[in-house]
Amino acid sequence: MVEVFLPGTGGVMPLKNRHLACCWMEHNGRALLIDCGEGTQVALNKCGRRLSRLKTILFTHFHADHIAGLPGLLLSLGNCGKTDELMVAGPPGLRETVKSLLAIAPQLPFPIRLMELEGAEKFESCGYQISSLVLQHGIPCLAYCLILRRKPVFNPEKARKRNVPREFFKLLHEGECVTNTEGERISPDMVLDGMRPPIKICYITDTRPVKEMDAFAKDADLLISEGMYGVVNPEDKKHMCIPESIRLAENARVGKLWVTHYSPSFQQPEKYIPADKKTLVTAGYDGISCILKGK
Ligand SMILES: [Zn+2]
Ligand SMILES: [Zn+2]
């Protein structure tokens, strides 16, 4: 299971009551952060998140509202005793941008591994299978899909019938072979009951709709998607409005949609969620969280 938490839901600039949009995910004591605008570490601290658990940061793009909080966060990570590697991934320009920001956060006590993504790529980090999708925002910008595999179903009855001592159940469930009380080798496939579907989370902000989105977000347990405005703003060729994110959620048949990344002038986004969509859609707010256990 994974906890998903939005420390902030604002776009462009932080407000008195709204931090900048980002997403914190945590499972098995390891955390991953998507984007880090100004004040992100303040928002994380306010909600009691343990920075020392952070293993990976994914950047959607390099506008200040998505990255300006990085130097402060890195310094705090150093101050809270982090010594293991931090993986940082993002679109082209990552090396140059992070290198410039490191000028004001030098001599960190942990190594940073940078992974510059050319576009649509797949990689593993922090226990997730991660894929990226190229968005349309005027500068290189990526959406992310994270898949967390779940352990297969363990059948204790099958294990008992094969004379496996109880203390070995956990090892078998984790994929290791054990020896039963008769001295026979028992492998996991003898006591498991098939796979569980993985947990899928998609994060899409700062873009006009692109045709690949529906397939990218297909069947996600949770889609977090941009709602810069309540309705389409014809002047703005770089952002999505709430109805566009709802259409995407419906086309992709996701489990639920959280809308995020609101324009600073956009107050009360919940008013733009139609009554008949409220089981599918929530207007995200700072501090919203959920635990995803999978289907
Ligand atoms: Zn933005
Ligand atoms: Zn942007």
Side-chain angles (χ1 to χ4, degrees):
M1 75 186 179
V2 53
E3 189 208 7
V4 186
F5 164 64
L6 300 187
T9 51
V12 186
M13 61 186 189
L15 301 178
K16 190 168 61 177
N17 57 349
R18 197 189 273 163
H19 289 282
L20 288 169
C22 57
C23 178
W24 175 270
M25 294 178 202
E26 195 168 324
H27 79 101
N28 281 347
R30 295 192 293 171
L32 175 149
L33 179 69
I34 304 179
D35 283 343
C36 186
E38 184 185 347
T40 291
Q41 64 162 327
V42 177
L44 287 167
N45 282 331
K46 220 191 248 178
C47 297
R49 290 309 186 275
R50 288 172 63 179
L51 296 183
S52 57
R53 295 186 168 177
L54 188 60
K55 308 292 178 199
T56 302
I57 305 177
L58 306 177
F59 284 109
T60 57
H61 64 300
F62 306 125
H63 279 152
D65 57 331
H66 297 258
I67 194 169
L70 183 66
L73 178 67
L74 295 176
L75 289 169
S76 291
L77 286 174
N79 280 327
C80 70
K82 183 175 175 66
T83 52
D84 60 325
E85 180 183 272
L86 178 72
M87 199 270 209
V88 179
L94 177 80
R95 279 176 209 291
E96 200 187 335
T97 311
V98 172
K99 204 176 143 205
S100 321
L101 292 170
L102 283 175
I104 52 169
Q107 295 172 338
L108 297 167
F110 55 88
I112 298 177
R113 182 159 62 93
L114 296 173
M115 182 186 278
E116 197 160 296
L117 305 167
E118 289 307 316
E121 292 198 34
K122 287 187 193 304
F123 57 100
E124 299 235 353
S125 185
C126 202
Y128 303 92
Q129 267 185 307
I130 303 173
S131 47
S132 52
L133 174 75
V134 176
L135 298 175
Q136 188 188 319
H137 188 51
I139 63 167
C141 184
L142 298 173
Y144 292 102
C145 171
L146 295 95
I147 289 180
L148 186 66
R149 282 184 291 262
R150 296 160 71 212
K151 280 190 199 167
V153 182
F154 181 75
N155 186 328
E157 202 45 47
K158 282 187 181 173
R160 275 192 284 272
K161 279 192 180 148
R162 289 186 178 270
N163 301 314
V164 176
R166 215 190 169 305
E167 62 265 30
F168 290 164
F169 284 14
K170 192 163 180 270
L171 287 176
L172 273 169
H173 199 186
E174 281 167 358
E176 287 185 38
C177 294
V178 300
T179 304
N180 70 4
T181 52
E182 321 291 302
E184 296 160 336
R185 183 176 179 274
I186 306 295
S187 57
D189 58 292
M190 296 171 171
V191 297
L192 298 178
D193 265 353
M195 299 304 291
R196 291 186 167 102
I199 297 170
K200 176 171 173 175
I201 302 151
C202 278
Y203 191 87
I204 303 177
T205 67
D206 291 62
T207 184
R208 289 299 299 140
V210 298
K211 66 178 190 311
E212 296 85 359
M213 276 179 182
D214 291 358
F216 190 70
K218 187 89 188 127
D219 295 327
D221 295 271
L222 173 63
L223 166 66
I224 301 159
S225 184
E226 182 175 23
M228 187 76 159
Y229 314 104
V231 294
V232 173
N233 177 351
E235 314 266 285
D236 188 331
K237 308 287 185 220
K238 295 179 178 177
H239 295 280
M240 288 201 293
C241 64
I242 287 180
E244 288 166 330
S245 280
I246 293 178
R247 204 172 311 130
L248 165 62
E250 290 180 326
N251 290 344
R253 305 178 72 87
V254 305
K256 55 182 159 184
L257 164 67
W258 287 352
V259 184
T260 187
H261 197 280
Y262 307 117
S263 160
S265 60
F266 186 19
Q267 300 300 319
Q268 298 189 299
E270 60 280 359
K271 286 193 173 168
Y272 290 81
I273 312 292
D276 63 335
K277 309 285 185 205
K278 286 195 171 157
T279 50
L280 171 67
V281 190
T282 304
Y285 49 86
D286 290 18
I288 187 173
S289 72
C290 73
I291 306 249
L292 296 174
K293 294 183 177 171
K295 298 169 188 108

